[in-house]
Amino acid sequence: MAWTSVVLTGAVNVATAQESARNPELAAVQAELQNARQAVDDARKAAEQIVLEAQREAALIRQTAPESQQRPLNLEPVAIQNTKVAVEIAAGTVEEIVAALMPTDWRVMVDVKDQSILQRRFQFVSTKSREQALRDLLKPMGLQHQYFFDLKDPSGMASPLLVISKR
């Protein structure tokens, strides 16, 4: 059965080539299609190159960052919650805003089934304590948060987590 489809495909390609030789308009459309395919391929390759370049630049920035910025923050729970944060986000998802509120070494997990909440974008400005800013953001949507201070990654390093969930 597979052999038949190969034979038919080959026959269609031969018929198409014969038809394009007889019909210059069809040949022009096929040439445009081939050019479009090449343009898409070129764009994909350019996008991959941009991503690789961005990854290299990010690695370089991490390498040249001062040691104080590379070292994870080991603050006590009360200090994490009561630290004042200054955040201004013009249009961010709940996850993006919460990630901006948390210290850089914290992970954020959003456990919400309602995709519309996850996709909505909000404007958010706060100079309050982290705890109050989180409440101000999440409570109107019926969401809550929970800190997990003592989690570790597989290598034993601290890997704290903030979980956002529906009440």
Side-chain angles (χ1 to χ4, degrees):
M1 199 163 181
W3 178 254
T4 305
S5 65
V6 170
V7 172
L8 290 176
T9 303
V12 169
N13 287 339
V14 169
T16 304
Q18 291 172 350
E19 181 68 26
S20 65
R22 283 186 248 138
N23 187 348
E25 288 178 14
L26 182 59
V29 169
Q30 287 176 334
E32 286 180 35
L33 180 59
Q34 183 60 32
N35 290 341
R37 286 181 182 144
Q38 186 61 44
V40 167
D41 191 44
D42 291 345
R44 183 187 52 76
K45 288 177 183 174
E48 288 172 355
Q49 186 63 33
I50 290 169
V51 168
L52 287 173
E53 214 171 286
Q55 289 172 338
R56 280 189 220 117
E57 287 180 19
L60 181 61
I61 290 169
R62 279 192 295 271
Q63 288 173 353
T64 60
E67 187 180 323
S68 62
Q69 289 180 352
Q70 293 177 10
R71 189 178 54 233
L73 300 173
N74 290 323
L75 298 175
E76 293 297 316
V78 172
I80 294 289
Q81 293 170 337
N82 293 336
T83 299
K84 292 210 180 275
V85 291
V87 175
E88 179 182 0
I89 297 180
T93 63
V94 169
E95 189 169 5
E96 291 168 343
I97 296 169
V98 171
L101 289 170
M102 296 308 293
T104 57
D105 61 330
W106 276 70
R107 296 174 297 132
V108 175
M109 181 173 69
V110 180
D111 183 23
V112 177
K113 289 180 181 25
D114 185 358
Q115 291 298 309
S116 66
I117 290 175
L118 298 177
Q119 295 171 352
R120 283 180 44 200
R121 301 193 82 66
F122 301 91
Q123 180 177 17
F124 187 77
V125 178
S126 180
T127 57
K128 297 178 181 177
S129 72
R130 182 173 286 116
E131 180 66 22
Q132 187 61 50
L134 285 167
R135 275 194 237 131
D136 290 349
L137 173 66
L138 300 174
K139 190 173 182 177
M141 291 179 276
L143 299 176
Q144 61 186 10
H145 63 284
Q146 184 173 4
Y147 300 92
F148 292 90
F149 294 97
D150 298 326
L151 296 178
K152 307 269 187 221
D153 67 11
S155 64
M157 297 294 294
S159 181
L161 173 69
L162 181 79
V163 176
I164 308 295
S165 60
K166 190 80 171 170
R167 292 183 189 187

